[in-house]
Amino acid sequence: MQCETSSRKNQESSSSKFEAKNCSPGVNGVTEKPGILSSVKINETHPQIGQGLMDLLRNCLELETEKTTTILCDFVDHFQSIPSEDFGWGCGWRNIQMLSSHLLKQRQEARAVLYAGSGFVPDILSLQRWLEIAWERGFDKQGSEDFDKAIYGKRNWIGTTECATLFRSFGLRARIVDFVSREIGIRASGVGKCVGKMAPQVYGPMDKYLSKKKNDVSEAVSTSYDVKVKPKVQQALIDWVWNYFSDNKFTKSGNHGIRVSQKAPLYFQHDGHSRTIVGIQIKCQSNGAMQYTLLILDPSHTTESLAKSLKGNFGWQKLIKRGVHTLKKPLYQLCFLDPGIASGEEIENLKYLHSVRVEV
């Protein structure tokens, strides 16, 4: 499955309209008011599995025999790519749907503003309309040019930039952070167009680990490493995710060191695909080193297969767990959401995208 890359303009697929069985007539253009759009947008349908997927995952983690510490998001619905509709290009939209499912369930302030207060996760066509409305309102004008300011009905790949733009248009504080190998050089400075020279501002839980002498983050280090040792980009990513999920109050705890975080899941982008990070696990090895494992929901997996493996407590690890050794790309990008809803001047500032750059 292909997603947004730094050369996205050359990688866009056909812009022909795709057919959707739930496509509603009467939505004639992005100039329609969001309130009108909400009355015709379609609720995304996906397989029902009974018990929530994150509850099933928590149950399996509690049955593990090894001593670990795990931090999980609370409620997140899995949204799969459908072969007849979006397989091969829709993973970005599916990740947006996963993040939306969490926000609508867990954050009352977000539920009130997202998708005109509809209270449900829209289908891909509706999300495309909402993104066009965001562009029309002035959010990420530069990015909108990549799509000729129109994306409804197209099969274009998207990434963290479009995810952040969509959520920012509702006042949510969506941020982007890039993890870049220094060996790649400036020419390949990220997987999304907003990557580049870092702006003076930095956001997110990595702030306390960044060198800000020259308004860049080229000397980013983690407190879990000797500063004389230059960590690889993959480990920098893992450290950032651990600090993100652990840097807040936990709503509850379970057996085997399982803690449930109030943090939203992460949109996880690299060249070729994107997924959703819903947690992280740490284990102390016999030599004293700490082993980290990401817990990931992948749109390319079917919801049914995930649910079946979790209910049977068999094979789910291959679908959800991803260690540092599996992260082989030189560039990674995350979109995360800070709490609260912006207003006034902050809304205007959210229209301009820039990312934090962690170069190692």
Side-chain angles (χ1 to χ4, degrees):
M1 297 177 68
Q2 297 294 313
C3 294
E4 177 189 36
T5 69
S6 56
S7 58
R8 182 177 56 197
K9 273 192 172 183
N10 295 327
Q11 296 178 328
E12 289 178 353
S13 58
S14 171
S15 62
S16 61
K17 301 279 184 175
F18 69 92
E19 295 296 328
K21 56 187 174 183
N22 290 326
C23 184
S24 296
V27 184
N28 298 316
V30 299
T31 57
E32 295 189 28
K33 294 181 180 179
I36 297 175
L37 179 62
S38 72
S39 68
V40 297
K41 70 179 182 296
I42 304 301
N43 184 0
E44 179 65 64
T45 57
H46 59 289
Q48 299 300 310
I49 61 172
Q51 188 178 8
L53 197 71
M54 296 303 292
D55 289 334
L56 292 173
L57 176 56
R58 193 177 308 123
N59 292 343
C60 288
L61 289 166
E62 289 182 352
L63 294 174
E64 290 186 318
T65 57
E66 293 182 314
K67 187 176 180 180
T68 59
T69 297
T70 306
I71 308 177
L72 283 176
C73 293
D74 212 324
F75 180 89
V76 183
D77 255 341
H78 177 259
F79 288 81
Q80 67 183 47
S81 290
I82 301 172
S84 62
E85 294 183 9
D86 66 287
F87 203 88
W89 60 270
C91 56
W93 299 109
R94 298 305 183 184
N95 291 314
I96 290 174
Q97 288 176 326
M98 289 193 232
L99 266 65
S100 297
S101 73
H102 172 88
L103 295 169
L104 292 170
K105 178 77 172 180
Q106 300 299 132
R107 293 192 184 181
Q108 185 176 357
E109 74 280 8
R111 183 182 177 88
V113 298
L114 271 176
Y115 313 121
S118 66
F120 58 74
V121 179
D123 65 352
I124 291 179
L125 284 171
S126 299
L127 289 174
Q128 290 177 331
R129 284 294 198 202
W130 282 116
L131 181 57
E132 287 181 339
I133 288 173
W135 289 338
E136 190 177 68
R137 293 174 56 200
F139 288 87
D140 191 25
K141 285 185 177 180
Q142 179 183 354
S144 69
E145 299 293 337
D146 289 353
F147 301 93
D148 296 325
K149 301 180 181 180
I151 198 168
Y152 179 78
K154 296 181 180 180
R155 299 172 184 257
N156 298 75
W157 308 320
I158 65 165
T160 51
T161 303
E162 288 68 46
C163 176
T165 298
L166 182 63
F167 285 127
R168 283 179 171 218
S169 70
F170 297 108
L172 275 67
R173 299 180 174 114
R175 320 290 191 191
I176 297 173
V177 57
D178 302 289
F179 301 87
V180 184
S181 173
R182 191 174 296 159
E183 297 174 358
I184 295 176
I186 299 175
R187 287 187 302 120
S189 61
V191 294
K193 66 179 176 300
C194 70
V195 182
K197 185 176 180 181
M198 201 188 100
Q201 305 97 317
V202 288
Y203 304 105
M206 277 294 288
D207 285 4
K208 53 194 173 188
Y209 304 117
L210 304 182
S211 168
K212 304 176 185 177
K213 296 178 182 178
K214 298 179 181 179
N215 280 334
D216 65 32
V217 292
S218 60
E219 299 178 13
V221 296
S222 167
T223 54
S224 60
Y225 291 87
D226 185 334
V227 294
K228 295 180 181 179
V229 179
K230 182 172 65 174
K232 294 181 179 180
V233 64
Q234 293 86 351
Q235 192 62 56
L237 167 69
I238 291 282
D239 285 342
W240 192 98
V241 173
W242 174 261
N243 283 291
Y244 170 81
F245 282 117
S246 61
D247 186 28
N248 85 313
K249 297 179 181 179
F250 302 103
T251 57
K252 50 190 164 183
S253 61
N255 298 329
H256 298 344
I258 298 174
R259 293 177 283 177
V260 180
S261 172
Q262 297 176 356
K263 291 292 186 73
L266 297 164
Y267 186 119
F268 179 38
Q269 177 79 51
H270 57 77
D271 183 17
H273 192 33
S274 63
R275 296 166 285 175
T276 298
I277 299 175
V278 297
I280 187 168
Q281 185 177 72
I282 187 173
K283 178 177 70 174
C284 184
Q285 297 178 301
S286 57
N287 61 2
M290 306 307 293
Q291 177 182 327
Y292 293 87
T293 302
L294 295 176
L295 302 175
I296 290 175
L297 296 182
D298 193 328
S300 67
H301 296 149
T302 66
T303 304
E304 183 180 1
S305 65
L306 282 171
K308 184 177 180 180
S309 65
L310 289 168
K311 287 177 179 178
N313 191 24
F314 179 79
W316 62 270
Q317 296 91 341
K318 292 182 179 180
L319 298 174
I320 294 176
K321 287 192 173 186
R322 293 293 181 269
V324 177
H325 66 284
T326 68
L327 306 175
K328 302 182 186 218
K329 301 289 185 178
L331 311 169
Y332 290 96
Q333 196 171 57
L334 295 174
C335 179
F336 66 98
L337 292 104
D338 281 337
I341 304 296
S343 61
E345 185 178 351
E346 186 181 356
I347 288 284
E348 291 301 310
N349 292 335
L350 290 177
K351 291 181 178 181
Y352 305 96
L353 283 176
H354 54 80
S355 66
V356 179
R357 182 175 176 180
V358 179
E359 185 177 303
V360 294

